[in-house]
Amino acid sequence: MDVSDGAPPPGPARPEFWRSPLRGPWLTAVFGLVLLFGVTVLFVTGLLSYAAYNPDLAPVNDQTPDKGWLGFYLFSWPTSPYWLYRLTQGVHVVLGVVLVPVLLGKLWSVIPKLFAWPPIRSLGQAIERLSLLLLVGGAGFEFATGLLNVQLHYIFPGSFYALHFYGAWVFIGAFAVHVSLRLPRAIRAVRAGHAAQPAAGSEEAAGLVSPRPAQPTLSRRGAVGLVGLGSLALFAVTAGQSVGGRWRRTALLAPHGGRDPGPGPNGFQINKTAGSVGIRASDIGPAWRLTVRGAGRQAVLTREELLALPQHEAALPIACVEGWSTTDQLWSGVRLTDLAALVGLGGPDGDVPHVLVESVQRGGPFGSAALRDNQVRDRRALLAVRVNGAVLSHDHGYPARVIVPGAPGVLNTKWVTRLTFGEPA
Ligand SMILES: Nc1nc2c(c(=O)[nH]1)N[C@H]1C(S)=C(S)[C@@H](COP(=O)(O)O)O[C@H]1N2
Ligand SMILES: [Mo]
């Protein structure tokens, strides 16, 4: 085979190999602009999700060692509005799922460029292709790790955070470069309209237009409509898990769709059951104690002593990183500030420090979590012993579990046995 004259070898490297009449700047630009909006929202809600974990209260919460300056934006996650994480993470996960057909459509629309001949024409073009590798690879990686985590229920315990977080920064860097290079052309293409197909090989065709187009079986607008229908269908079978309540039944694609939490006051979504994380009856039976530590003091309470403390109510949802959430449940239990007061912390105008919450659970990444001072101070932050008027079920964290307004579900530790105020590490 002689390629010395620069002619591409037979196959996909030849422009005439690609025959769809749909491919062209308009189609690519429409998908691209949807992704520009969507990926921006995904990135922002993703960063928020990370901030919501209190990752600087290392090492219990932070699963991302050496995040270094990538954590520059971290701030203290507020407790109001109490549905904040339910909203940001619901948007993050539902949008991530809904954008999959758009991403596939976009990749399909530019696939001839993957085989562009010669593969490397100049240094500038080589750098651009490398950035595209990061762009496409980064997108694939972020969507794949996100979907796997949501669908297969934390298949990367711990390391998911690190993978998805670093991946996001690589991806968004390549994305920013790509947008700055292509946005003007994309806007021109959309302005020109769906019917304006530039001549194959022309500058404006950008290597996307087939020089030998087949007969169309679908219009370009029809192709966009089809992808839109795909997104809509995905929305219809996932959004219900973020809305919760009776809408949950519509979430056919939700990971726990088949698992029925049963009826009654405890009949709402369960993440990990007591059995699945090895909680033994003896750990949460009559021998169970709550130890409260801080300021060099310690108090040990039986369940009866905990129930004898002032009980307060708060209507709060559980909102998981996986994108599902419950509607508001009515929790009741002891305020975290009242527990801090047991060891002499807080009081009318004293400072309440952060707290390390530990469960009876052995091993696994979710058996403990640190809460920030603003979360401890919130009057709705409880060590709950009851929900919707009934004693907590074993699967919802009996005998006591944390519930904090606005926070990710993973900070709402179940089967709590120890609270250490002021020492997160
Ligand atoms: N000890 C312990 N607490 C835990 C977990 C866990 O695995 N172990 N899972 C957390 C996560 S990720 C979520 S979303 C909530 C779910 O609470 P629920 O099962 O009562 O709905 O519990 C949190 N508390
Ligand atoms: Mo969760």
Side-chain angles (χ1 to χ4, degrees):
M1 178 173 55
D2 178 19
V3 293
S4 56
D5 62 348
R14 299 209 164 154
E16 56 277 17
F17 176 88
W18 302 98
R19 305 211 47 199
S20 173
L22 302 179
R23 284 200 186 87
W26 182 82
L27 190 70
T28 296
V30 169
F31 290 146
L33 290 175
V34 173
L35 287 172
L36 171 57
F37 170 79
V39 165
T40 305
V41 175
L42 282 181
F43 185 62
V44 171
T45 51
L47 290 186
L48 290 179
S49 183
Y50 185 59
Y53 277 76
N54 297 344
D56 51 333
L57 297 185
V60 275
N61 296 16
D62 192 1
Q63 316 279 346
T64 317
D66 302 323
K67 64 184 175 296
W69 55 268
L70 292 181
F72 70 91
Y73 71 94
L74 293 175
F75 57 96
S76 104
W77 187 253
T79 53
S80 291
Y82 69 91
W83 39 259
L84 185 60
Y85 191 75
R86 190 169 180 233
L87 177 73
T88 62
Q89 194 62 8
V91 167
H92 187 72
V93 171
V94 172
L95 187 61
V97 171
V98 161
L99 283 179
V100 168
V102 185
L103 179 69
L104 295 178
K106 174 74 161 61
L107 292 175
W108 177 85
S109 80
V110 295
I111 200 148
K113 304 192 76 160
L114 180 62
F115 300 94
W117 197 265
I120 296 176
R121 228 174 294 136
S122 63
L123 183 64
Q125 189 240 13
I127 293 172
E128 208 212 320
R129 293 205 81 179
L130 189 73
S131 85
L132 290 177
L133 193 75
L134 291 178
L135 181 73
V136 176
F141 184 81
E142 287 303 283
F143 276 84
T145 51
L147 292 173
L148 286 173
N149 198 56
V150 165
Q151 286 299 322
L152 300 181
H153 196 61
Y154 293 112
I155 57 162
F156 318 94
S159 67
F160 165 76
Y161 299 87
L163 294 173
H164 205 63
F165 180 76
Y166 292 125
W169 282 105
V170 171
F171 171 51
I172 210 69
F175 187 76
V177 170
H178 186 67
V179 169
S180 62
L181 292 175
R182 294 287 199 269
L183 188 59
R185 187 198 274 170
I187 291 173
R188 273 202 308 279
V190 169
R191 287 234 173 97
H194 64 98
Q197 184 82 320
S202 68
E203 166 96 34
E204 211 53 29
L208 299 168
V209 177
S210 172
R212 196 167 64 104
Q215 276 306 309
T217 52
L218 182 72
S219 72
R220 264 168 235 132
R221 279 195 293 187
V224 170
L226 213 60
V227 166
L229 271 181
S231 290
L232 206 65
L234 285 174
F235 180 82
V237 294
T238 44
Q241 65 164 336
S242 306
V243 180
R246 59 205 176 90
W247 287 101
R248 214 197 133 66
R249 275 178 290 151
T250 65
L252 304 176
L253 261 194
H256 312 291
R259 198 193 287 164
D260 183 4
N266 277 279
F268 57 95
Q269 199 54 30
I270 295 159
N271 180 314
K272 303 258 173 78
T273 61
S276 73
V277 293
I279 304 296
R280 300 179 205 156
S282 57
D283 293 333
I284 55 176
W288 175 87
R289 294 290 180 273
L290 175 70
T291 303
V292 183
R293 289 190 197 150
R297 286 186 242 183
Q298 171 167 311
V300 180
L301 288 81
T302 63
R303 188 173 127 79
E304 288 64 39
E305 288 167 329
L306 182 64
L307 294 175
L309 294 174
Q311 304 287 308
H312 296 274
E313 286 188 332
L316 299 169
I318 296 221
C320 183
V321 63
E322 297 170 353
W324 61 263
S325 44
T326 69
T327 51
D328 297 354
Q329 311 295 324
L330 188 62
W331 306 90
S332 75
V334 180
R335 282 191 183 138
L336 296 184
T337 47
D338 288 348
L339 292 166
L342 289 181
V343 289
L345 292 167
D349 37 30
D351 271 353
V352 183
H354 45 236
V355 66
L356 170 65
V357 181
E358 292 166 282
S359 70
V360 302
Q361 191 178 332
R362 296 166 186 82
F366 308 118
S368 59
L371 302 173
R372 203 187 290 280
D373 52 356
N374 67 318
Q375 292 169 320
V376 175
R377 251 190 338 256
D378 194 293
R379 295 162 66 83
R380 297 163 294 181
L382 302 176
L383 183 65
V385 292
R386 302 173 71 83
V387 65
N388 301 320
V391 172
L392 283 181
S393 68
H394 284 192
D395 290 337
H396 281 305
Y398 177 90
R401 66 108 34 98
V402 161
I403 184 84
V404 175
V410 68
L411 297 185
N412 295 328
T413 306
K414 305 195 273 191
W415 313 292
V416 171
T417 188
R418 189 157 55 207
L419 300 174
T420 307
F421 288 94
E423 295 158 44

